[in-house]
Amino acid sequence: MALLQIAEPGESAAPHQHRLAVGIDLGTTNSLVATVRSGMCAVLSDELGRTLLPSVVHYSVQGVESVGYDAQAQQSIDPRNTVVSVKRFMGRGLKDIAHIESMPYDFLDAEGMVRLRTVAGVKTPVEISAEILKVLRERAEISLGGQLTGAVITVPAYFDDAQRQATKDAARLAGLNVLRLLNEPTAAAIAYGLDNSAEGIYAVYDLGGGTFDISILRLSKGIFEVLATGGDSALGGDDFDQRVFCWIIEEAKLAPLSHSDARLLLMRAREAKEYLTYHGEAPITVKLGSGEYVDVKLTTAIFSAITHNLVQKTLTPTRKALRDAGLTIEDVKGVVMVGGSTRMPQIQHAVGELFKQEPLNNLDPDKVVALGAATQANLLAGNRATGDDWLLLDVIPLSLGLEMMGGLTEKIIPRNSTIPIARAQEFTTFKDGQTAMAIHVVQGERELVSDCRSLARFELRGIPPMAAGAARIRVTFQVDADGLLSVTAREQTTGHEARIEVKPSYGLSDDEITGMLKDSFVHASEDAFRRALREAQVEAQRLLEATLTALGEDAELLSMPERAHIDSCIAKLQAVLVGDDRRAIDAAMLALNQATVEFAARRMNKSVQRVLSGKNITELT
Amino acid sequence: MPSDFNQDHFALFGLPRSFGLDTAQLDRLYRDLLARVHPDKHVHLSAADQRLAMQWATHVNEAYQTLRQPLKRAQYLLHLVGVDVQLERNTAMPPEFLMRQMEWRETVAEVRSAEDGQAMEDLHRRIKKEIAEQYECLERHLDLKPDYQAAAATVRQMMFQEKLLQEIDDALAELEA
């Protein structure tokens, strides 16, 4: 307990200090931020009391002009520089984007991820998303009156590695510490599960603006286990708008439209769709820029007919996910509906019919994901007591593999494997004296590499020359708890080790991100400096707190010299913490981290042993 | 890396090395272990803790997946005693087994072209039942009266059956798409 005396009064954190953490639903159409305050989960609103932030960013020559409702108002005035539904472009190349011909943007095809040319310069989807996240971060910091410890950000379960990486980078660019990327349906289940303390098998049907996800979960004794996921990363409410849009053009026999007319008509199409939720028919009257008048009437029957196959397209992956989980319709105890698009009566009806039960609707489908994310963020930030917590076991949505001879895919990690997970596989050389091997990492279920998504390519060099088939190259895939992949390759016959680690590329390198971070600081360098310092201080405080807690619990695992070394690292960090030298803080943190590696390992072993000796089994379940 | 990483999967869960396994107990131990080592339980701790948590959780997941599925468990047990299952090279099967396989393959092709979902489901159930019978065979050869070569032969046969199941699954998926 000597350690507690080292800490200055006021420096050592109180054991139950509440850390500010938020959940962010970064949606295709709207985004939200929520938090848990005094045990209550709530969505945070702006100064006008609005909770939704339209996911729209408007650029002018000066840079970002507005985000949210103000940007939305610019949609039909300045469509080229007003980016909506940017989530559809995250981690995507030009050829992956549906309906690109009807979009008013000036796209640039770049390797991996598409870019947009605006009056403010070329922007990546990561940067545009970061603008939305920044607004939400500021909203939360003002509302909560302090700096955030971290955020849980939700992604569609069906997002592949490139899309997840892009989301995490956007958060980093927005100055957020990502506690975890959480799958949207899982977040929804958390929001529901805890309110109802439900047990059993649940399906989460999530139809958002641009994506469809289905997840099958098992809830039992404080464990949320995702059994299977499926969906379509390019299917959502926007497609329904698109159908109505095309129907109007056909019905009114319109000539090719200008960008602003197209945008206007698309907005009217969406309004008509929403109107039909509560009415039998929706009148659509528009005066176009060309002077033409549109005056048509959309009925429920027509709407159902033109969108019938979109609804069907959601049911096929739903059945597949159930099969993957080894379950039938009868096993499902409840169906949670998520996403504004599930308000459409025909969707409610189709889902109810498939599952032979009324879907659950008691939480606002627009807010349920953010609420669940906030609940999980509160848990991850350490604001809940042991015993009053839960564990979430999520899965990887798509299989990961390598390209083999003949363009075939070899699956290394099958879809729906519980994460984190690692798998290794051995390969050999094809030719005598071969010293390099090309490794191509892909994601997807199809047999041909060309039908899967390419994640990364790299070469393993320095293989000692040997006869064909003699080298043994071990390729290891590691997927972390965020669902992000890293790949390692190693030649191991001769003891000579060639090793390379890749972060799957989608067009943005680490250097580019650092560059963007710097750029965003140029305008406010003083601010940026203070912010970076404050962030380092918060981080250091967190580390000190964690170390002190660990020492309080398990000090007996350390020898005297080991303990003395850690203590001196703690003292050094505390000494620099009060100053304003960020580098010194970083260096002291690194030293303390290194000093506690072995300690952490022993603590983990002890914890595991405790489970096996059976002492805590009842306490945990 | 902690020393425990070198333990075999059975030792990790503190279970005896045998094919017969109390899966309910394995499930419970898995959950209890993960509740301790999962990265979510270490988010607010140091970077070293977080790295370690990921390694541990990965290890526990891998061990669980291996032991939970009987066929993988059998292969793993054979690996532990140093018997190579020789999946690629040794394709010698008893003639009667091959005959039955061929019959089934024909049946799969038939119901597939007839697009008969019900028949496929029935076939699926029958093969599953046959696989369940093989488990008893494995328990005999691995636990009760060890004969590892016989167990390896059974594993090879079961790989065929699993593949057949997979084909039926694919056919069912096609039918729905």
Side-chain angles (χ1 to χ4, degrees):
Chain A
M1 289 293 109
L3 257 163
L4 293 174
Q5 292 159 0
I6 293 175
E8 299 259 338
E11 283 281 320
S12 76
H16 293 298
Q17 184 195 359
H18 185 83
R19 301 178 187 87
L20 302 181
V22 294
I24 292 179
D25 174 3
L26 183 60
T28 306
T29 318
N30 293 299
S31 297
L32 297 95
V33 58
T35 194
V36 175
R37 248 189 307 203
S38 339
M40 290 291 288
C41 197
V43 176
L44 302 174
S45 47
D46 65 7
E47 63 279 8
L48 295 175
R50 299 175 296 199
T51 51
L52 296 184
L53 177 73
S55 303
V56 186
V57 178
H58 178 225
Y59 288 97
S60 71
V61 276
Q62 279 89 32
V64 177
E65 186 69 22
S66 55
V67 177
Y69 285 103
D70 293 344
Q72 202 173 35
Q74 297 297 316
Q75 257 192 73
S76 45
I77 302 163
D78 186 14
R80 181 176 293 257
N81 297 303
T82 310
V83 187
V84 300
S85 301
V86 64
K87 191 173 176 179
R88 286 193 159 195
F89 312 146
M90 292 290 268
R92 285 281 166 265
L94 199 60
K95 62 174 168 41
D96 306 319
I97 301 168
H99 310 308
I100 204 150
E101 63 290 344
S102 61
M103 290 179 187
Y105 312 118
D106 187 0
F107 287 105
L108 276 175
D109 199 9
E111 200 205 333
M113 186 163 24
V114 71
R115 281 142 209 247
L116 281 75
R117 206 194 312 262
T118 73
V119 282
V122 174
K123 301 288 172 192
T124 66
V126 169
E127 289 171 279
I128 301 165
S129 299
E131 296 301 338
I132 300 166
L133 289 171
K134 267 182 214 166
V135 171
L136 294 174
R137 191 199 76 209
E138 280 157 19
R139 180 188 290 186
E141 288 183 346
I142 290 167
S143 175
L144 301 176
Q147 197 173 349
L148 302 180
T149 299
V152 166
I153 300 182
T154 59
V155 289
Y158 217 58
F159 255 23
D160 67 24
D161 194 80
Q163 293 166 303
R164 281 167 201 265
Q165 192 68 57
T167 306
K168 206 170 178 183
D169 287 339
R172 208 171 122 203
L173 205 54
L176 285 164
N177 171 36
V178 180
L179 296 171
R180 186 71 71 231
L181 293 181
L182 182 62
N183 289 331
E184 287 162 9
T186 318
I190 288 175
Y192 266 100
L194 297 177
D195 279 358
N196 307 343
S197 59
E199 299 249 320
I201 305 286
Y202 283 79
V204 184
Y205 179 102
D206 179 356
L207 187 61
T211 51
F212 169 67
D213 273 330
I214 180 78
S215 291
I216 311 295
L217 291 100
R218 177 163 57 211
L219 276 61
S220 75
K221 294 175 188 151
I223 295 199
F224 284 72
E225 197 174 351
V226 180
L227 301 176
T229 68
D232 189 334
S233 57
L235 173 68
D238 293 356
D239 295 290
F240 289 74
D241 303 348
Q242 194 72 30
R243 288 284 161 91
V244 175
F245 172 82
C246 293
W247 175 82
I248 300 173
I249 290 179
E250 225 169 85
E251 191 70 10
K253 301 188 177 58
L254 298 176
L257 300 169
S258 69
H259 277 327
S260 52
D261 276 347
R263 188 66 74 90
L264 184 65
L265 210 56
L266 199 55
M267 269 168 65
R268 292 288 178 272
R270 170 175 299 178
E271 285 163 12
K273 173 192 78 177
E274 287 166 3
Y275 193 78
L276 280 183
T277 296
Y278 306 104
H279 304 86
E281 55 181 44
I284 302 165
T285 49
V286 194
K287 187 188 176 212
L288 297 176
S290 60
E292 268 181 292
Y293 273 97
V294 174
D295 188 6
V296 291
K297 201 172 276 172
L298 181 66
T299 64
T300 305
I302 295 171
F303 183 59
S304 291
I306 60 176
T307 60
H308 177 76
N309 71 337
L310 292 178
V311 177
Q312 291 306 311
K313 259 175 103 172
T314 68
L315 300 183
T316 306
T318 302
R319 283 189 286 257
K320 180 160 165 268
L322 271 173
R323 230 185 359 258
D324 280 354
L327 298 166
T328 62
I329 297 283
E330 284 71 30
D331 296 317
V332 177
K333 199 173 152 192
V335 187
V336 173
M337 299 296 266
V338 188
S341 302
T342 59
R343 288 203 177 90
M344 284 185 268
Q346 53 180 146
I347 296 280
Q348 293 278 340
H349 183 75
V351 172
E353 203 164 65
L354 177 68
F355 285 99
K356 299 174 192 152
Q357 59 180 302
E358 285 291 305
L360 296 168
N361 283 313
N362 45 325
L363 292 178
D364 183 339
D366 282 327
K367 292 181 183 163
V368 61
V369 167
L371 293 173
T375 310
Q376 188 69 9
N378 189 49
L379 173 85
L380 294 182
N383 288 336
R384 291 185 78 96
T386 316
D388 187 26
D389 57 359
W390 60 89
L391 180 65
L392 179 63
L393 301 182
D394 223 325
V395 299
I396 174 168
L398 300 163
S399 302
L400 290 163
L402 286 173
E403 173 168 359
M404 303 300 291
M405 300 281 294
L408 293 178
T409 316
E410 169 85 6
K411 280 183 193 165
I412 308 285
I413 300 184
R415 72 163 185 275
N416 291 328
S417 301
T418 307
I419 51 174
I421 188 169
R423 277 287 154 79
Q425 192 132 328
E426 274 185 11
F427 297 94
T428 191
T429 43
F430 174 62
K431 282 189 204 143
D432 286 342
Q434 188 178 339
T435 58
M437 183 181 248
I439 290 170
H440 184 200
V441 184
V442 297
Q443 186 161 29
E445 309 312 315
R446 307 283 294 276
E447 240 172 83
L448 288 178
V449 165
S450 52
D451 295 331
C452 291
R453 178 153 199 87
S454 167
L455 289 179
R457 284 174 192 275
F458 66 98
E459 265 191 14
L460 177 71
R461 294 177 178 281
I463 302 171
M466 283 182 258
R472 277 169 55 221
I473 292 133
R474 195 174 173 80
V475 180
T476 307
F477 280 44
Q478 168 84 59
V479 180
D480 69 13
D482 287 322
L484 294 173
L485 168 73
S486 62
V487 181
T488 316
R490 184 163 57 195
E491 202 293 313
Q492 44 187 20
T493 32
T494 55
H496 167 92
E497 237 186 43
R499 197 182 153 103
I500 186 168
E501 283 196 37
V502 290
K503 185 177 123 178
S505 68
Y506 52 85
L508 280 188
S509 65
D510 253 10
D511 285 349
E512 276 184 284
I513 298 217
T514 314
M516 286 178 203
L517 272 169
K518 272 194 198 130
D519 284 350
S520 69
F521 287 158
V522 169
H523 305 292
S525 56
E526 180 61 15
D527 252 21
F529 170 77
R530 268 208 304 275
R531 175 154 196 105
L533 174 65
R534 229 175 34 203
E535 272 169 6
Q537 285 169 332
V538 168
E539 180 70 21
Q541 195 63 54
R542 217 169 55 121
L543 177 63
L544 278 174
E545 211 181 295
T547 312
L548 291 176
T549 311
L551 286 172
E553 286 168 3
D554 292 314
E556 80 282 359
L557 297 176
L558 294 168
S559 69
M560 293 287 278
E562 286 168 340
R563 174 61 185 264
H565 178 51
I566 292 178
D567 283 352
S568 92
C569 288
I570 289 175
K572 259 181 217 146
L573 182 54
Q574 284 172 330
V576 294
L577 188 58
V578 289
D580 60 1
D581 185 349
R582 187 173 64 85
R583 276 163 207 266
I585 297 176
D586 283 344
M589 272 201 286
L590 186 65
L592 179 55
N593 259 322
Q594 279 166 352
T596 55
V597 167
E598 178 59 26
F599 182 41
R602 285 182 211 161
R603 269 167 51 76
M604 196 68 100
N605 283 351
K606 183 183 156 191
S607 174
V608 166
Q609 283 315 313
R610 227 178 266 157
V611 171
L612 295 185
S613 63
K615 275 181 201 150
N616 282 289
I617 285 176
T618 45
E619 169 201 310
L620 281 159
T621 50
Chain B
M1 269 201 194
S3 56
D4 302 51
F5 272 35
N6 300 321
Q7 295 179 331
D8 70 62
H9 295 341
F10 290 98
L12 176 72
F13 289 105
L15 292 167
R17 222 190 245 195
S18 69
F19 180 75
L21 185 79
D22 178 352
T23 50
Q25 190 192 8
L26 176 66
D27 286 351
R28 201 175 57 239
L29 286 166
Y30 166 67
R31 284 154 171 247
D32 290 348
L33 268 183
L34 259 198
R36 297 245 169 208
V37 303
H38 195 278
D40 278 1
K41 301 285 178 180
H42 304 265
V43 172
H44 58 290
L45 296 181
S46 73
D49 280 289
Q50 292 188 36
R51 236 188 342 269
L52 203 64
M54 187 181 73
Q55 288 171 351
W56 262 102
T58 298
H59 189 51
V60 171
N61 271 330
E62 172 66 22
Y64 176 69
Q65 295 303 334
T66 305
L67 298 191
R68 191 68 176 77
Q69 298 169 32
L71 190 53
K72 281 195 186 171
R73 184 162 74 235
Q75 276 179 281
Y76 183 65
L77 272 168
L78 288 170
H79 162 77
L80 285 179
V81 294
V83 173
D84 184 358
V85 179
Q86 294 187 317
L87 287 176
E88 322 273 283
R89 278 156 291 160
N90 193 337
T91 47
M93 300 271 166
E96 61 271 29
F97 179 78
L98 286 177
M99 284 301 286
R100 209 163 58 237
Q101 284 294 313
M102 275 161 67
E103 278 167 30
W104 272 358
R105 231 160 252 288
E106 277 165 27
T107 319
V108 171
E110 272 167 32
V111 291
R112 203 169 178 159
S113 59
E115 301 196 344
D116 186 343
Q118 191 54 49
M120 277 188 225
E121 301 262 10
D122 289 346
L123 196 58
H124 199 278
R125 254 194 300 279
R126 268 171 48 209
I127 298 174
K128 276 222 134 146
K129 190 163 163 273
E130 184 132 333
I131 290 179
E133 286 163 12
Q134 298 268 48
Y135 291 155
E136 288 166 29
C137 188
L138 278 178
E139 193 161 4
R140 199 165 56 240
H141 294 318
L142 287 167
D143 295 349
L144 306 174
K145 223 177 128 218
D147 177 349
Y148 298 130
Q149 293 308 326
T154 309
V155 165
R156 285 193 295 271
Q157 289 185 9
M158 289 175 73
M159 298 297 282
F160 267 81
Q161 290 164 316
E162 290 285 346
K163 218 168 162 186
L164 207 55
L165 275 188
Q166 188 59 50
E167 266 174 44
I168 300 174
D169 273 342
D170 291 348
L172 275 169
E174 259 172 47
L175 203 60
E176 267 179 23

